Amino acid sequence: MLAEPHFKRRPGIWKMLMAAVCVALLSGLQAQDLPGQVSIILLGATGDLARKYLWQGLFHLYLEEVGKGHHFRFHGTALTSTEQGQEVIAKVLESLSCPRDMAPGHCAELKAQFQQLSEYRRLKTPEDYLALSKDIEAQVEHEGLRETGRIFYLSVPPFAYVDIARNINSSCRPGPGAWLRVVLEKPFGHDLHSAQQLAAELGSFFREEEMYRVDHYLGKQVVAQILPFRDQNRAALDGLWNRHHVERVEVVMKETLDAEGRTSFYEEYGVIRDVLQNHLTEVLTLVAMELPVNISSPEAVLQHKLQAFPALRGLQRHSAVLGQYQAYSGQVRRELQKPDSFHSLTPTFAGILVHIDNLRWEGVPFILMSGKVLDERVSYVRILFKNQAFCVQSEKHWVAAQSRCLPRQIIFHIGHGELGSPAVLVSRNLFRPALPSAGWKEVEGRPGLRLFGLPLSDYYAYSPVREQDAYSVLISHIFHCRKDSFVTTENLLASWAFWTPLLDSLAHEVPRLYPGGAENGQLLDFELSSGHLSFSQPLPEQLMPGLDSAPLPSDFQVLRAKYRESPLISAWPEELIARLAGDIEAAAVRAVRRFGEFHLALSGGSSPVALFQQLATGHYSFPWAHTHLWLVDERCVPLWDPESNFQGLQTHLLQHVRVPHYNVHPMPVHRRQRLCAEEDQGTQAYAEEISALVTNSSFDLVLLGMGADGHTASLFPQSPTGLDGEQLVVLTTSPSSPHRRMSLSLPLINRAQKVAVLVMGRMKREIAMLVSRVGHEPKKWPISGVLPDSGQLVWYMDYDAFLG
């Protein structure tokens, strides 16, 4: 027989236990019934951003939520002394304004309430944070409320984030049942590594759902309208929002102000980090991302934004044009006490060409542009559509605003400019858009106003019924847990991963100087050509102080000489690439004329990219239909990996020319779902393919490069294979990642009819000098072993590599 439970034998204990449970349940229910209070703690409350925008945004939140059952307390904090801080905050609170449609008396009443609910305190030590937490708890209990949550808005420099986060986490978290939201202002790192480091440190204190990284552009009304606009106009846009109909997309932010007073920040970040990596990239993803089925789901929106990044083609040096207003270096010298000889390389203007390699956007140029001291202050996104119409009647007979021959465009006018306000504009010859009638109204006609080449009357134009400041919008979204208006950790790191390689490549680039304002004229105009950007006008000499003695390309002609007893051709990079491309085309034409086909083996890496682009766009007589393309070497990664040499060849050449697919021969590094496994015999397979298709395994032309350690192809110093012997194709090990490689051997390379070695950049000057003096020592300097048995070796070096 089972033992009888103790509480059955002791009914008094049972009654006491049940009473305690009931009291606990009742207390919990009563607590849930109590009105909730949210405490908002603004750190850096006396700073510039807080005084200009954040206190007004908090007041706007109070106006929105008052009377809806929410209770608030606003704690302004800073390192400033209590007396000073209170004085500053009092002035700020007095300057707060209400919406225009609010009665003055009602405004004064609510403003007085907000002032009563706001306080200032110094917040510096862990003890200060603990005291703040206890004061909040005591005040909530005293007023008979329950704590709903706490918002910490960190309007402070990023170097202070980690200490503040540690103090919040250890001493100032709300109790059980209440939420925590921590708001962070940019910059979120300086590059990918620093962003990863900061994200890891913050992630050790807060959960992802607790962090709200602010990009104030996401709070701007027109930017926030991009996804709803696309959603509400799906029927009209589904067939238009793609590469078949969009000619290009422009994302622009122009400023008239300079960086005076902010040069310490600007010297560290520059225009790309300050504007393009965050604001313009966020806008780009909103335009380019696939539209979720439900745009009201923050999770779906954030996931689709993140999915846009893998399709972004990696940025190269030629993806950018840079400028700097002339007075900038002088401002830096004054503010940062730099010597008179100091000249900053920090760009204050940048134009960037972005390509998105997916089915929707392939081939469509996305142009991101921002700069200081330009001719006007304006921000917009412009989607320009292709015009396939041909109008027989002359322009004077076209129907105003309706003709299919007029430009067709959608403009998200973010703000400022001649229009002067945020607006969404759609060409009348495109479609009549749907916008929410409650929040948007048609823009009144303004005779004489022209936007992007058309009168305002040629657009369906809509503006917000009531304009709102971006920070007011975002503070409301923080309160309502609208995470899709903020930058997640994954999104942040994806953006930095995209931008960091370009920033590294531009670190020593000299920006074009410009006078500023209307005087810029056409100096900063740039154009798209062959997948890269370049300034439209040559650089006037008078805008290059201190460079009077620098040689110009016109001072030199193509230099012909000898290098290691073989022909050397040296020139400026553009001339050198043009010469090499011309020589390759000439060799191809000769081979096809004599043998019916041309076998070209190409190296990977960054140096040949400009050559590939030149061949793709400037050589229309090239016999591509009779050309076989082979790889000299390959990294042991899948062929679709961005690190793959074949992927680089595909991106910069193959997708632009008509080479029969059966004439393209990638290295078989990925066989049987494995990478470069010896037992898969990839090297033997490639060697057999070469022997079967290339007469005597002798390529018509092999293009090589030279590494800073003297390696060529993927044949490295002291390599155990590939430098001699009978093998035609070998597996090798690189000192840099990815380490495993496949490469043509030196004996196979030396069977070629012609070998061209392309060497470019000042970084190659030292190895070029060294190799010029060494003998035949392939074990130490593999490039020294390149000497065709019966063919020709030609060196192509730019002046930086040859002359330094």
Side-chain angles (χ1 to χ4, degrees):
M1 182 176 177
L2 295 173
E4 189 175 20
H6 183 68
F7 58 77
K8 289 269 189 178
R9 290 184 271 117
R10 302 287 298 275
I13 293 177
W14 170 244
K15 288 179 182 177
M16 289 171 62
L17 179 62
M18 289 302 295
V21 169
C22 290
V23 167
L25 286 170
L26 184 61
S27 299
L29 290 171
Q30 287 173 337
Q32 289 298 315
D33 290 339
L34 292 174
Q37 175 174 296
V38 175
S39 300
I40 300 179
I41 301 95
L42 175 56
L43 292 91
T46 59
D48 190 55
L49 180 66
R51 286 184 283 111
K52 283 184 178 177
Y53 299 108
L54 300 184
W55 280 109
Q56 182 63 48
L58 294 174
F59 182 47
H60 186 270
L61 174 69
Y62 181 72
L63 297 179
E64 270 190 347
E65 301 300 329
V66 69
K68 295 182 181 178
H70 303 297
H71 291 252
F72 291 95
R73 282 281 176 171
F74 302 93
H75 304 269
T77 73
L79 302 179
T80 310
S81 69
T82 303
E83 187 177 339
Q84 274 186 304
Q86 287 174 340
E87 188 178 328
V88 172
I89 297 304
K91 289 180 182 177
V92 174
L93 295 180
E94 193 56 43
S95 68
L96 297 176
S97 60
C98 298
R100 293 177 185 174
D101 56 358
M102 182 176 285
H106 189 43
C107 173
E109 180 186 347
L110 292 175
K111 190 170 168 180
Q113 290 176 12
F114 183 79
Q115 290 169 333
Q116 285 292 317
L117 296 170
S118 302
E119 64 153 26
Y120 174 82
R121 65 165 65 209
R122 190 175 187 184
L123 196 61
K124 186 175 183 180
T125 66
E127 292 74 23
D128 293 337
Y129 285 83
L130 185 60
L132 171 63
S133 186
K134 290 185 179 299
D135 287 350
I136 291 172
E137 291 167 2
Q139 180 265 322
V140 167
E141 185 177 350
H142 175 74
E143 296 189 12
L145 304 171
R146 64 181 174 85
E147 186 170 14
T148 302
R150 297 179 189 178
I151 296 173
F152 286 85
Y153 199 121
L154 276 59
S155 178
V156 298
F159 66 76
Y161 284 172
V162 174
D163 284 342
I164 292 171
R166 184 181 292 108
N167 286 326
I168 293 172
N169 185 57
S170 63
S171 308
C172 215
R173 273 187 173 273
W179 46 253
L180 170 69
R181 290 172 197 157
V182 179
V183 188
L184 305 158
E185 279 283 346
K186 80 174 185 75
F188 311 117
H190 184 265
D191 54 18
L192 178 58
H193 176 71
S194 59
Q196 288 171 327
Q197 189 174 12
L198 180 59
E201 289 174 319
L202 292 173
S204 67
F205 300 116
F206 307 127
R207 298 189 302 274
E208 179 66 28
E209 62 269 21
E210 293 177 330
M211 289 186 283
Y212 290 70
R213 291 183 185 85
V214 169
D215 184 323
H216 79 274
Y217 249 56
L218 293 175
K220 290 186 176 289
Q221 287 171 287
V222 167
V223 174
Q225 187 59 32
I226 292 174
L227 287 187
F229 176 88
R230 290 180 58 189
D231 183 54
Q232 290 153 13
N233 294 280
R234 280 182 194 258
L237 290 175
D238 273 352
L240 291 173
W241 208 258
N242 56 61
R243 60 192 168 99
H244 301 297
H245 296 279
V246 175
E247 182 176 314
R248 71 184 187 194
V249 178
E250 301 167 2
V251 186
V252 171
M253 176 183 166
K254 295 169 67 177
E255 297 182 88
T256 54
L257 294 177
D258 61 15
E260 190 169 15
R262 295 182 68 229
T263 57
S264 60
F265 167 84
Y266 218 77
E267 266 299 274
E268 186 177 355
Y269 288 92
V271 67
I272 296 178
R273 290 180 173 92
D274 186 37
V275 176
L276 283 85
Q277 179 273 327
N278 37 69
H279 303 327
L280 301 196
T281 302
E282 287 295 321
V283 175
L284 168 69
T285 59
L286 293 174
V287 173
M289 65 184 268
E290 293 301 310
L291 204 56
V293 174
N294 178 15
I295 68 161
S296 299
S297 164
E299 296 79 13
V301 169
L302 291 170
Q303 192 60 35
H304 280 69
K305 279 179 70 175
L306 187 62
Q307 289 168 358
F309 281 98
L312 297 179
R313 186 186 302 173
L315 296 171
Q316 307 286 338
R317 165 63 195 91
H318 57 253
S319 305
V321 289
L322 304 179
Q324 182 192 98
Y325 64 86
Q326 280 180 285
Y328 177 76
S329 283
Q331 291 172 340
V332 174
R333 288 194 290 269
R334 286 194 303 274
E335 293 182 18
L336 304 184
Q337 286 80 53
K338 298 285 186 180
D340 291 344
S341 60
F342 175 80
H343 288 278
S344 173
L345 294 180
T346 302
T348 61
F349 167 88
I352 307 291
L353 174 61
V354 177
H355 280 286
I356 302 175
D357 292 327
N358 60 22
L359 286 175
R360 182 180 294 278
W361 296 115
E362 186 177 10
V364 177
F366 283 71
I367 300 168
L368 277 57
M369 188 272 280
S370 183
K372 289 188 171 294
V373 199
L374 301 181
D375 61 312
E376 64 174 337
R377 183 186 183 192
V378 67
S379 301
Y380 63 84
V381 185
R382 181 189 183 210
I383 297 98
L384 180 64
F385 291 87
K386 295 176 182 177
N387 198 328
Q388 311 291 2
F390 180 87
C391 295
V392 176
Q393 295 279 68
S394 62
E395 188 174 346
K396 64 184 178 183
H397 296 298
W398 293 356
V399 179
Q402 298 297 328
S403 172
R404 303 293 292 178
C405 286
L406 288 168
R408 303 189 303 156
Q409 47 201 344
I410 295 174
I411 298 148
F412 296 99
H413 193 274
I414 298 168
H416 306 291
E418 288 191 61
L419 191 58
S421 61
V424 177
L425 303 100
V426 179
S427 294
R428 289 182 180 269
N429 60 357
L430 205 53
F431 64 89
R432 187 183 188 96
L435 276 91
S437 57
W440 293 78
K441 62 181 181 181
E442 286 206 53
V443 175
E444 296 178 6
R446 290 168 59 180
L449 177 61
R450 296 180 67 84
L451 297 169
F452 303 99
L454 296 174
L456 182 61
S457 57
D458 277 13
Y459 297 97
Y460 296 110
Y462 299 84
S463 63
V465 171
R466 190 171 83 179
E467 288 188 37
Q468 286 183 288
D469 170 67
Y471 282 99
S472 296
V473 172
L474 290 175
I475 287 171
S476 175
H477 287 185
I478 294 163
F479 178 73
H480 290 289
C481 200
R482 285 274 308 275
K483 285 284 285 184
D484 53 322
S485 297
F486 300 88
V487 182
T488 65
T489 301
E490 284 185 303
N491 196 299
L492 172 70
L493 298 182
S495 178
W496 275 120
F498 174 64
W499 285 101
T500 297
L502 176 69
L503 288 163
D504 289 344
S505 72
L506 297 175
H508 303 291
E509 193 73 21
V510 178
R512 169 172 288 200
L513 296 178
Y514 60 95
E519 293 180 39
N520 292 334
Q522 298 175 323
L523 190 61
L524 294 178
D525 291 354
F526 55 87
E527 53 195 49
L528 292 66
S529 177
S530 308
H532 63 271
L533 292 187
S534 59
F535 284 115
S536 303
Q537 290 193 346
L539 185 61
E541 291 182 55
Q542 63 268 26
L543 291 180
M544 298 177 65
L547 299 179
D548 296 337
S549 60
L552 297 173
S554 57
D555 296 333
F556 294 88
Q557 294 183 349
V558 173
L559 176 66
R560 294 174 181 83
K562 289 281 187 179
Y563 180 83
R564 290 183 58 82
E565 300 182 358
S566 294
L568 166 71
I569 296 171
S570 190
W572 292 101
E574 288 186 10
E575 293 171 316
L576 185 70
I577 290 298
R579 173 61 186 269
L580 176 54
D583 289 351
I584 293 174
E585 181 177 356
V589 170
R590 283 195 303 270
V592 170
R593 189 177 297 141
R594 291 184 63 193
F595 307 110
E597 58 187 14
F598 175 60
H599 289 273
L600 174 62
L602 296 170
S603 290
S606 58
S607 293
V609 168
L611 173 66
F612 296 162
Q613 292 168 338
Q614 177 74 23
L615 288 170
T617 59
H619 292 263
Y620 298 106
S621 298
F622 201 105
W624 292 115
H626 303 283
T627 297
H628 286 257
L629 291 175
W630 304 82
L631 285 182
V632 168
D633 63 332
E634 181 59 281
R635 296 172 170 94
C636 291
V637 296
L639 294 184
W640 58 84
D641 191 290
E643 298 247 27
S644 163
N645 288 342
F646 178 77
Q647 184 59 238
L649 186 65
Q650 164 69 19
T651 299
H652 300 295
L653 179 62
L654 292 180
Q655 68 177 355
H656 305 292
V657 297
R658 295 183 178 179
V659 180
H661 67 88
Y662 44 79
N663 282 6
V664 180
H665 309 280
M667 280 187 158
V669 293
H670 196 187
R671 306 186 88 196
R672 299 171 187 158
Q673 298 183 329
R674 295 183 291 196
L675 292 168
C676 294
E678 297 268 6
E679 57 269 29
D680 291 337
Q681 300 184 334
T683 55
Q684 293 93 317
Y686 206 54
E688 288 169 7
E689 189 176 5
I690 292 168
S691 298
L693 296 176
V694 182
T695 304
N696 299 323
S697 298
S698 174
F699 293 107
D700 295 300
L701 193 147
V702 173
L703 175 70
L704 298 176
M706 179 169 67
D709 59 355
H711 84 265
T712 192
S714 279
L715 303 171
F716 299 92
Q718 310 304 325
S719 177
T721 58
L723 300 178
D724 50 27
E726 298 298 319
Q727 280 185 273
L728 301 184
V729 186
V730 295
L731 291 177
T732 67
T733 301
S734 165
S736 58
S737 180
H739 300 290
R740 203 76 168 125
R741 308 287 176 93
M742 185 179 289
S743 177
L744 303 187
S745 67
L746 268 184
L748 178 58
I749 290 169
N750 285 333
R751 291 188 193 181
Q753 299 300 307
K754 180 175 179 177
V755 176
V757 183
L758 177 62
V759 186
M760 297 181 69
R762 192 161 295 176
M763 299 291 288
K764 300 293 177 68
R765 172 62 182 145
E766 188 174 337
I767 189 65
M769 288 181 62
L770 186 100
V771 168
S772 71
R773 298 192 296 264
V774 303
H776 182 83
E777 300 181 70
K779 282 288 184 185
K780 289 180 69 175
W781 321 105
I783 189 68
S784 72
V786 176
L787 189 61
D789 302 329
S790 57
Q792 183 189 29
L793 170 62
V794 181
W795 296 82
Y796 294 81
M797 287 194 196
D798 70 357
Y799 288 135
D800 278 341
F802 184 53
L803 302 174

